[in-house]
Amino acid sequence: MDIDKSNNKDELLTEIDKLRKEKNDLEFENKILKKANELIKKEIGVNYGNLTNKEKTIVVNALK
């Protein structure tokens, strides 16, 4: 029974680490999108994947 508890604890800790990383990634993505919207003044709902290289450079430099 102790082995099961230990494995379960390890699995939970692994899941916590995974969720923390995902949270950080999403927060970073959110910052990028907010800054892009603020600087580029694109319409709401625009696909930010279609930013020009110049626009991407502006956003990256602003986030530094």
Side-chain angles (χ1 to χ4, degrees), residues 14-57:
T14 300
E15 183 68 15
I16 288 170
D17 287 341
K18 178 183 168 190
L19 290 171
R20 282 186 180 141
K21 183 185 180 322
E22 184 177 346
K23 175 186 167 278
N24 290 337
D25 290 348
L26 290 171
E27 286 176 345
F28 183 66
E29 182 179 354
N30 189 33
K31 286 179 185 179
I32 290 171
L33 293 174
K34 282 183 177 180
K35 186 56 78 172
N37 191 48
E38 175 186 318
L39 294 172
I40 309 301
K41 305 291 187 200
K42 293 282 188 177
E43 293 179 26
I44 300 293
V46 72
N47 181 355
Y48 288 99
N50 292 333
L51 292 176
T52 66
N53 286 338
K54 181 179 180 179
E55 291 169 331
K56 289 176 187 176
T57 301

Side-chain angles (χ1 to χ4, degrees), residues 5-21:
K5 287 182 182 179
S6 177
N7 286 341
N8 192 27
K9 182 178 178 181
D10 290 342
E11 288 175 12
L12 289 174
L13 291 173
T14 300
E15 183 68 15
I16 288 170
D17 287 341
K18 178 183 168 190
L19 290 171
R20 282 186 180 141
K21 183 185 180 322

